[in-house]
């Protein structure tokens, strides 16, 4: 079918009765005796039974269109389903081959003659639609048509859609008998359409409810939020009849933008990470106002992530409630598909509100769990500092005071070794206390935190988690430039170990030595040891030369030696001038 100009009722444009029995009586009275009225009425009733035998709305509409063409002998038939704006949300053609369909550049939208039944719900017959003064021609690739019969389909006093027939196969015009037959068929089909529509809405509501329950259950049971949002996007795309679903979330570090964090559909990977401005975009308006919006063309929403990929109709739903929106769910259809219906929008909105509430509850639960963990870490750190370190320190002091009572050189050496080990243990515990007070999931931009993060990030390439010991006022004493050099040296050292050492144990030590005399600078020392195969004689040393050059540039020195039994010991030491301030890092 095509867009046709608006016209006026034909010679038989009287308003038919809406009562099916009266219509069937009228059909009997209008059919000519030589056309076997009993046979045509039987065909009509058979068509009504066939249409009502299925509860799938798409099947009911297709059968209705085919039945109308069969009863009247029409070459072409079409059924346009109206949306809330009076345009076609769907158009079902019959009699047009697939090859011909591909040549038609567009299908009707409910204008001209095709839009008349919803304004004046009466049948319309034309002997030659081309003679009408408002006729503007056919779209490119559309078959030419002459005679025309249009009948509205009403469901509970509401025009659901329009049924159109053109060009009888015998070459005759549509007559009053055809009009009566199609009108009776459309009236009876209204009941079947209403049943199918209610059944479809019920099924959709059940699917939305099941998806919403699943999302709530997953979130509140501790499932990963990103995984749940991915499930939500997939369900929304499938149930909502969309081609692509995108979840846009704000980024606190890039204010003024929403980002495509989750996507589902054929272009999902191409969309991820795409930013959308909050100002002057429809997605941003939905996010700020908490109201859903349906749009027939996403170009009007300033949404280039989909429009330049051939998408047209869109539906934007806020995640959450007005004033507390967590993000936006964007559904898109390809440009040749019908816009989203108001029913889909209402169900999606209810679904997204519940999902938003569940997201908020899940976030609150995670915050509570994190708070409990942080409080427990602080308690452990406090116990280590106030109890364990103090006892170890007291033990070391006791041993030191006992040494003057020892006369055996061997016993004195063992005692000193024990004191040194206690001192090292105290330093290890202090590093542990710092790590407890700065957990990995808390972003730490201090030099200590960056050293720990860099060491942890190399665990996969090393094949083991390196031990890290941090001692002294590292954050307070080390300038930014020296700290950057330290991180570069540490990264290169660990990379060399991963590539060449074949080690199963790696230890990193960073310390700042306090000045021993006025005017003597503080010393920053990085030591990296491993239990690998050690330095090879005559091997490549380009990486080690880089470390040495970095040390000399800062007035320091670097050494790389084999261990006493195995492995390698790298020592990178540079001076750090003392600014005279108090650098005590109290615990």
């Amino acid at each position: 079918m095509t867009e046709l100009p608006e016209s006026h009722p034909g010679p038989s444009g009287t308003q038919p009765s809406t009562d099916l029995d009266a219509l069937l009586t009228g059909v009997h009275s209008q059919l000519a005796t030589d056309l076997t009225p009993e046979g045509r009425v039987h065909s009509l009733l058979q068509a009504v039974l066939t249409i009502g035998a299925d509860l799938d709305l798409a099947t009911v509409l297709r059968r209705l269109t085919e039945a109308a063409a069969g009863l009247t002998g029409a070459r072409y038939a079409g059924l346009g389903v109206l949306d809330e704006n009076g345009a076609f949300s769907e158009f079902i053609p019959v009699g047009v081959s697939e090859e011909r369909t591909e040549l038609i550049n567009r299908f009707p939208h409910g204008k001209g003659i095709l839009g008349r039944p919803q304004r004046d719900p009466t049948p319309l017959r034309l002997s030659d639609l081309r003679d009408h003064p408002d006729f503007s021609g056919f779209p490119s690739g559309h078959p030419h048509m002459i005679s025309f019969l249009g009948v509205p389909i009403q469901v509970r006093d509401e025009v659901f859609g329009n049924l159109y027939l053109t060009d009888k196969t015998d070459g005759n015009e549509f007559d009053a008998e055809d009009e009566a037959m199609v009108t009776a068929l459309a009236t009876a089909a209204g009941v079947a359409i209403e049943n199918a529509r209610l059944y479809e809405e019920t099924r959709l509501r059940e699917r939305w409810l099941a998806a919403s329950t699943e999302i709530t259950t997953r979130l509140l049971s501790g499932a990963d939020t990103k995984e749940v949002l991915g499930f939500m996007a997939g369900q929304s795309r499938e149930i909502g009849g969309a081609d692509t679903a995108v979840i846009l979330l704000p980024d606190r570090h890039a204010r003024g933008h929403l980002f495509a964090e989750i996507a589902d559909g054929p272009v999902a990977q191409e969309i991820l990470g795409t930013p959308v401005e909050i100002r002057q975009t429809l997605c941003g308006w939905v996010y700020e106002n908490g109201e859903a919006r349906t749009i027939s063309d996403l170009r009007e929403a300033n949404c280039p992530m989909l429009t330049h990929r051939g998408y047209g109709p869109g539906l934007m739903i806020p995640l959450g409630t007005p004033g507390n929106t967590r993000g936006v769910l964007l559904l898109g259809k390809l440009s040749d598909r019908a816009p989203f219906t108001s029913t889909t929008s209402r169900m999606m909105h209810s679904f997204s509100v519940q999902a938003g509430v569940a997201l908020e509850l899940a976030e609150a639960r995670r915050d509570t769990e994190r708070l409990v963990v942080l409080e427990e870490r602080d308690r452990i750190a406090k116990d280590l500092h106030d109890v364990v370190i103090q006892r170890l320190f007291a033990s070391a002091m006791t041993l030191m005071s006992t040494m003057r009572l020892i006369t055996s050189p061997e016993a004195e050496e063992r005692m000193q070794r024990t004191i040194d080990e206690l001192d090292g243990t105290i330093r290890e515990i202090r590093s542990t206390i710092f790590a407890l007070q700065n957990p990995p999931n808390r972003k730490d931009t201090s030099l200590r935190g960056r050293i720990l993060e860099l060491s942890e990030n190399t665990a996969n390439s090393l094949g083991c988690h390196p031990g890290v010991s941090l001692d002294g006022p590292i954050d307070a004493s080390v300038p930014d430039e020296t700290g950057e050099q330290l991180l570069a040296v540490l990264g290169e050292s660990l990379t060399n170990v991963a590539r060449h050492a074949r080690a199963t144990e790696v230890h990193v030590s960073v310390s700042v030595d306090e000045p021993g005399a006025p005017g003597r600078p503080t010393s920053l020392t990085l030591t990296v040891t491993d239990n690998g195969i050690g330095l090879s004689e005559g091997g490549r040393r380009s990486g080690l030369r880089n470390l040495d050059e970095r040390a000399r540039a800062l007035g320091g020195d670097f050494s790389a030696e084999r261990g006493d039994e195995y492995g390698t010991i790298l020592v990178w030491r540079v001076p750090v001038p003392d600014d005279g301030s108090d650098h005590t890092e109290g615990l």
Side-chain angles (χ1 to χ4, degrees), residues 83-85 89 240 282-283 285-286 291-301 312-318 328-333 337-349:
D83 61 17
E84 56 268 22
N85 299 318
S89 63
L282 192 56
C283 288
W285 185 92
V286 170
E291 297 180 16
R293 288 293 300 272
T294 304
I295 193 168
S296 59
D297 192 341
L298 285 169
R299 286 177 296 184
E300 301 175 11
L315 174 60
M316 282 144 281
I317 304 291
V328 175
L329 172 62
L330 168 63
L331 298 181
K333 292 184 179 181
R337 297 190 58 196
F340 292 92
T341 64
S342 58
T343 300
T344 300
S345 178
R346 287 194 302 271
M347 292 185 181
M348 279 293 302
H349 193 209

Side-chain angles (χ1 to χ4, degrees), residues 39 41 76 80 186-187 215 239 298 314 319 347 358 365 374 378 389 542:
V41 171
Y76 304 110
T187 302
I215 288 173
I239 304 175
L298 285 169
L319 295 178
M347 292 185 181
R365 178 184 56 78
L374 291 176
D378 286 342
I389 286 184
S542 59

Side-chain angles (χ1 to χ4, degrees), residues 250-282:
D251 189 332
R252 60 184 178 182
H253 301 297
R255 296 181 179 179
H257 288 80
L258 299 171
F259 289 86
E261 297 290 346
I262 307 291
D264 186 85
V267 296
Q269 295 304 315
E270 304 171 35
I271 292 174
L272 289 176
T274 303
V276 174
E277 290 188 9
I278 293 179
R279 296 184 60 187
Q280 298 179 348
T281 64
L282 192 56

Side-chain angles (χ1 to χ4, degrees), residues 167-181:
D167 291 1
K168 298 187 68 169
T169 55
D170 58 9
N172 295 325
E173 299 178 10
F174 293 101
D175 54 24
E177 298 169 359
D178 296 318
E179 179 182 321
M181 189 71 66

Side-chain angles (χ1 to χ4, degrees), residues 32-329:
T33 55
D34 58 343
L35 295 179
T36 61
E38 292 80 4
R40 296 194 69 181
V41 171
H42 180 272
S43 299
L44 172 62
L45 295 177
Q46 184 63 41
V48 171
L49 292 175
T50 302
I51 292 170
D54 203 297
L55 286 176
D56 179 69
L57 183 58
T59 302
V60 170
L61 297 179
R62 169 66 62 176
R63 287 179 177 177
L64 171 59
T65 310
E66 293 173 347
L71 286 172
T72 59
R75 188 183 305 276
Y76 304 110
L79 192 155
V81 180
L82 300 174
D83 61 17
E84 56 268 22
N85 299 318
F88 287 162
S89 63
E90 184 178 1
F91 190 84
I92 302 171
V94 168
V96 182
S97 65
E98 293 185 3
E99 294 78 8
R100 172 71 74 172
T101 301
E102 294 178 356
L103 297 175
I104 301 175
N105 59 9
R106 65 177 177 84
F107 276 99
H109 298 295
K111 307 296 183 180
I113 290 179
L114 300 190
R116 179 186 173 280
Q118 63 262 31
R119 298 189 299 271
D120 182 14
T122 58
L124 172 65
R125 279 190 290 123
L126 296 172
S127 58
D128 192 336
L129 57 89
R130 298 172 299 177
D131 293 337
H132 196 278
D134 291 335
F135 177 69
S136 57
F138 298 100
S140 175
H142 196 285
H144 289 273
M145 302 173 180
I146 301 176
S147 59
F148 174 84
L149 172 60
V151 175
I153 304 172
Q154 292 184 277
V155 177
R156 294 188 178 181
D157 298 327
E158 172 192 353
V159 178
F160 172 83
N162 302 321
L163 184 59
Y164 307 104
L165 304 165
T166 61
D167 291 1
K168 298 187 68 169
T169 55
D170 58 9
N172 295 325
E173 299 178 10
F174 293 101
D175 54 24
E177 298 169 359
D178 296 318
E179 179 182 321
M181 189 71 66
V182 175
T183 300
L185 178 65
T187 302
V191 177
I193 291 173
E194 176 69 1
N195 291 337
R197 189 166 63 175
L198 292 175
Y199 176 70
E200 185 177 80
E201 290 183 5
T202 302
R203 284 198 309 168
L204 282 175
R205 190 173 291 107
E206 290 177 352
R207 296 183 67 184
W208 285 124
L209 182 60
S212 180
T213 302
E214 178 67 18
I215 288 173
T216 303
T217 301
R218 291 191 182 192
L219 285 172
L220 298 183
S221 63
D224 180 68
T225 302
K226 192 170 184 179
E227 177 186 343
V228 177
L229 289 177
F231 173 79
M232 176 182 179
Q235 291 294 299
S236 300
R237 182 178 71 88
E238 180 182 349
I239 304 175
D243 295 297
T244 291
V246 186
I247 293 181
L248 302 164
L249 300 176
D251 189 332
R252 60 184 178 182
H253 301 297
R255 296 181 179 179
H257 288 80
L258 299 171
F259 289 86
E261 297 290 346
I262 307 291
D264 186 85
V267 296
Q269 295 304 315
E270 304 171 35
I271 292 174
L272 289 176
T274 303
V276 174
E277 290 188 9
I278 293 179
R279 296 184 60 187
Q280 298 179 348
T281 64
L282 192 56
C283 288
W285 185 92
V286 170
Y287 174 73
E288 290 186 327
N289 292 273
E291 297 180 16
R293 288 293 300 272
T294 304
I295 193 168
S296 59
D297 192 341
L298 285 169
R299 286 177 296 184
E300 301 175 11
N302 193 12
C303 186
M305 78 169 78
L306 291 180
T307 50
H308 81 275
R309 294 183 171 91
Y311 284 73
L315 174 60
M316 282 144 281
I317 304 291
L319 295 178
T321 56
N324 193 24
T325 306
R326 321 292 295 185
V328 175
L329 172 62

